[in-house]
Amino acid sequence: MLTTPFDDDQLHEECGIFGVYRHADAARHVALGLHALQHRGQEAAGIVAFDGARFQAHRAMGHVAEAFESDRVMAELAGYTAIGHVRYATFGATILRNVQPLFADMSFGGFAVAHNGNLTNAMALRRRLVKAGCIFQSTSDTEVILHLVSTSQQNGVIDRFIDALKQIQGAYSLVALTDNMMIGVRDPLGVRPLVLGKFEDGTMVFASETCALDIIGADFVRDVEAGEIVIVSDEGIRSLKPFGSPKSRFCIFEHIYFARPDSIVDGRSVYDVRKHIGAELARESGVPADVIIPVPDSGVPAAIGYAAEAGVPFELGIIRNHYVGRTFIEPTQQIRNLGVKLKHNANRPQIEGKRVILVDDSIVRGTTSLKIVQMVRDAGATEVHMRIASPPTTHSCFYGVDTPERSQLLAATHDIEGMRKFIQADSLAFISMDGLYRAMGEPRRNTDAPQYCDACFTGDYPIPLTDHWGSEEDGPRLPLFSKAI
Ligand code: AMP
């Protein structure tokens, strides 16, 4: 979810969602599922549970383990159904009223919703709703969905929900809870992931990724399809497709960086895809070297694939300290620089006197690469070559993966040689778009109908950016940007 500039606090967020229907200990299972999804959001976590009579919510800042460690909190969340959310905010003030799942009492009863993704017309909708008298409690775009459901003229929860979904634009995977249903939804292009799982006793589960099913011993059933609404109730499971069957445009960056490597996402093993990308990279831009070293952790599978294809030894030449948060979430450049030093250390014996190929998943601002190249040189490398397991990140994401604004993306302002100079490597290469698609099992990118959302590499945004572009009536809300680089 993305928050709207209600106050000054504007946040970009990436999230994980999870839900359990009909289990004696639903909230504890949701807490475990959220723990497995912690990489999708480390800023805050929340659970809403229903016990047949009352909805109970607990939301807290910080990691899942701390948010739900108290027995008192878990006892309050007793109930047979629960949904939960982890949130990743990368800058701006973080406030508890934005922490999900959001909940509201409506004319038909309670309604809770957890959202992964960003709505791209939330500000336009919000202005309309505020004009009509709606009072917003949070700065979150997700709250728009609650007001659209609440003010819908349709009868019945599902028809109201569909009515709301037809008005929103953007990328969204949602898990919603009412007093007799748990509902999972993916946006018409299925940009963000959502899977359905099941326990042996029939308890149903929704999760952003399959790694969250594994942790609680649930079996993977299937992906929720693009544009599909899956309704889980005591009557069983129903599937609705109110948007027809548009062609899916799953986020390719989930495979490159965001999803956990032990997840099966969009029918593919994330680990295998990353290894295939590494192998393609070695074929496309191999260079003589003595050792392949991943930038941990996100570069590891691609480096394994690269090393196997190149026939060069793979070594852990950089060791990561796991007790430091992701460098990316630090708010200032100064602290980001410090964060990288805190996070990585050179494993000198694996580097000294060697020609090194470093493999990382992506370059965003270039901060990490610059530091790592320097660190490897300081540890005695004779040559340092950087290989990146994604094409250059030239465009911001508006669909739920945090990237800084375009002016801060190194690839938006530098060509490859300029980037090489910036990170001070002896050579720099990125995988090509076709190489990336080949690694995904597609012969090449279909330019008429791309198979994935790859807007961060191409500027080809498949969903209108209404708030960003602005409407004629309202004027642009955010700085305009040029599409092609
Ligand atoms: P930078 O240092 O700004 O170039 O960021 C690149 C590093 O951040 C890479 O090592 C990636 O693993 C990581 N990264 C890339 N995209 C994201 C993201 N959306 N959120 C957090 N980390 C990211």
Side-chain angles (χ1 to χ4, degrees):
M1 53 159 247
L2 172 77
T3 55
T4 55
F6 181 59
D7 300 320
D8 285 340
D9 49 345
Q10 191 180 355
L11 312 176
H12 290 269
E13 295 164 10
E14 300 157 342
C15 307
I17 56 178
F18 197 82
V20 170
Y21 187 85
R22 282 270 169 225
H23 196 287
D25 214 358
R28 276 184 208 278
H29 284 74
V30 171
L32 284 167
L34 293 179
H35 181 65
L37 298 173
Q38 188 78 78
H39 61 290
R40 300 184 71 87
Q42 294 138 33
E43 183 84 8
I47 294 179
V48 171
F50 181 66
D51 64 4
R54 291 173 325 145
F55 287 88
Q56 286 291 342
H58 180 73
R59 304 177 188 92
M61 310 309 293
H63 287 193
V64 176
E66 290 113 49
F68 299 104
E69 71 185 344
S70 141
D71 286 339
R72 183 186 53 78
V73 166
M74 294 319 292
E76 279 170 10
L77 290 172
Y80 61 83
T81 285
I83 64 171
H85 188 264
V86 283
R87 194 178 77 157
Y88 183 122
T90 52
F91 64 86
T94 304
I95 43 177
L96 204 51
R97 67 197 160 115
N98 280 336
V99 179
Q100 298 197 26
L102 299 183
F103 172 81
D105 270 316
M106 306 210 181
S107 54
F108 54 80
F111 187 84
V113 66
H115 171 202
N116 170 213
N118 285 338
L119 302 187
T120 53
N121 67 339
M123 293 185 223
L125 288 171
R126 185 180 178 121
R127 278 194 296 276
R128 197 189 83 200
L129 288 160
V130 168
K131 251 189 214 164
C134 293
I135 299 169
F136 278 76
Q137 300 290 321
S138 75
T139 64
S140 154
D141 63 344
T142 310
E143 195 181 343
V144 163
I145 300 173
L146 287 183
H147 289 287
L148 290 173
V149 172
S150 151
T151 55
S152 170
Q153 300 302 307
Q154 298 295 318
N155 290 320
V157 186
I158 294 298
D159 285 344
R160 281 167 175 252
F161 198 19
I162 291 173
D163 187 30
L165 296 175
K166 286 191 168 166
Q167 296 174 69
I168 61 177
Q169 296 170 341
Y172 52 88
S173 283
L174 306 172
V175 178
L177 187 63
T178 73
D179 57 11
N180 61 0
M181 288 179 267
M182 178 171 74
I183 308 161
V185 185
R186 274 178 90 188
D187 68 72
L189 301 186
V191 175
R192 302 258 74 86
L194 188 65
V195 298
L196 186 64
K198 193 179 184 175
F199 283 97
E200 260 176 22
D201 67 359
T203 297
M204 299 307 297
V205 182
F206 286 117
S208 290
E209 291 180 38
T210 58
C211 65
L213 302 178
D214 299 340
I215 194 176
I216 55 167
D219 293 324
F220 170 73
V221 175
R222 66 178 178 86
D223 282 308
V224 175
E225 288 174 26
E228 187 184 20
I229 300 180
V230 177
I231 302 158
V232 179
S233 71
D234 287 355
E235 274 84 66
I237 296 178
R238 258 195 317 149
S239 161
L240 302 176
K241 292 237 172 125
F243 308 106
S245 300
K247 205 173 160 303
S248 144
R249 294 284 298 271
F250 183 67
C251 167
I252 207 159
F253 200 65
E254 290 274 353
H255 277 293
I256 291 168
Y257 170 79
F258 205 44
R260 239 171 69 162
D262 53 339
S263 284
I264 310 293
V265 170
D266 192 35
R268 289 183 168 84
S269 151
V270 173
Y271 185 82
D272 283 349
V273 165
R274 290 181 189 168
K275 274 176 66 179
H276 288 147
I277 296 175
E280 283 289 340
L281 197 50
R283 283 192 283 274
E284 285 187 353
S285 56
V287 61
D290 303 308
V291 64
I292 310 294
I293 293 177
V295 179
D297 292 328
S298 47
V300 173
I304 292 173
Y306 191 114
E309 179 65 25
V312 176
F314 166 97
E315 297 293 354
L316 296 178
I318 300 165
I319 303 301
R320 177 174 160 188
N321 182 333
H322 284 95
Y323 305 98
V324 182
R326 292 180 177 190
T327 57
F328 209 80
I329 66 172
E330 304 295 350
T332 66
Q333 190 69 24
Q334 193 195 355
I335 296 182
R336 264 199 298 278
N337 292 346
L338 182 66
V340 174
K341 275 188 229 142
L342 290 172
K343 195 166 145 182
H344 295 118
N345 191 32
N347 183 7
R348 198 176 184 101
Q350 301 304 325
I351 294 173
E352 205 160 14
K354 294 184 182 171
R355 295 169 299 170
V356 172
I357 296 181
L358 290 170
V359 180
D360 201 0
D361 63 279
S362 58
I363 293 181
V364 182
R365 295 180 180 85
T367 317
T368 307
S369 303
L370 176 63
K371 289 283 158 197
I372 297 282
V373 169
Q374 190 60 51
M375 185 183 290
V376 170
R377 277 201 206 288
D378 290 348
T382 55
E383 290 173 26
V384 186
H385 303 277
M386 181 63 97
R387 294 293 176 270
I388 302 295
S390 64
T393 303
T394 50
H395 289 74
S396 304
C397 177
F398 296 92
Y399 305 135
V401 171
D402 178 71
T403 39
E405 63 181 52
R406 202 168 169 219
S407 59
Q408 292 183 43
L409 296 174
L410 192 65
T413 49
H414 296 66
D415 61 10
I416 307 278
E417 175 56 13
M419 294 176 84
R420 184 198 66 75
K421 281 193 184 132
F422 180 90
I423 66 167
Q424 295 170 19
D426 293 301
S427 77
L428 168 66
F430 294 78
I431 191 154
S432 68
M433 275 311 279
D434 278 347
L436 176 58
Y437 270 77
R438 272 196 301 279
M440 301 294 303
E442 312 274 356
R444 61 186 313 130
R445 183 178 192 265
N446 179 345
T447 44
D448 296 330
Q451 302 91 314
Y452 291 91
C453 176
D454 50 30
C456 48
F457 310 128
T458 59
D460 173 2
Y461 291 101
I463 304 167
L465 305 179
T466 303
D467 290 332
H468 190 76
W469 289 333
S471 66
E472 275 180 27
E473 184 196 336
D474 302 312
R477 305 297 302 172
L478 293 166
L480 289 170
F481 57 96
S482 61
K483 197 167 170 239
I485 173 154

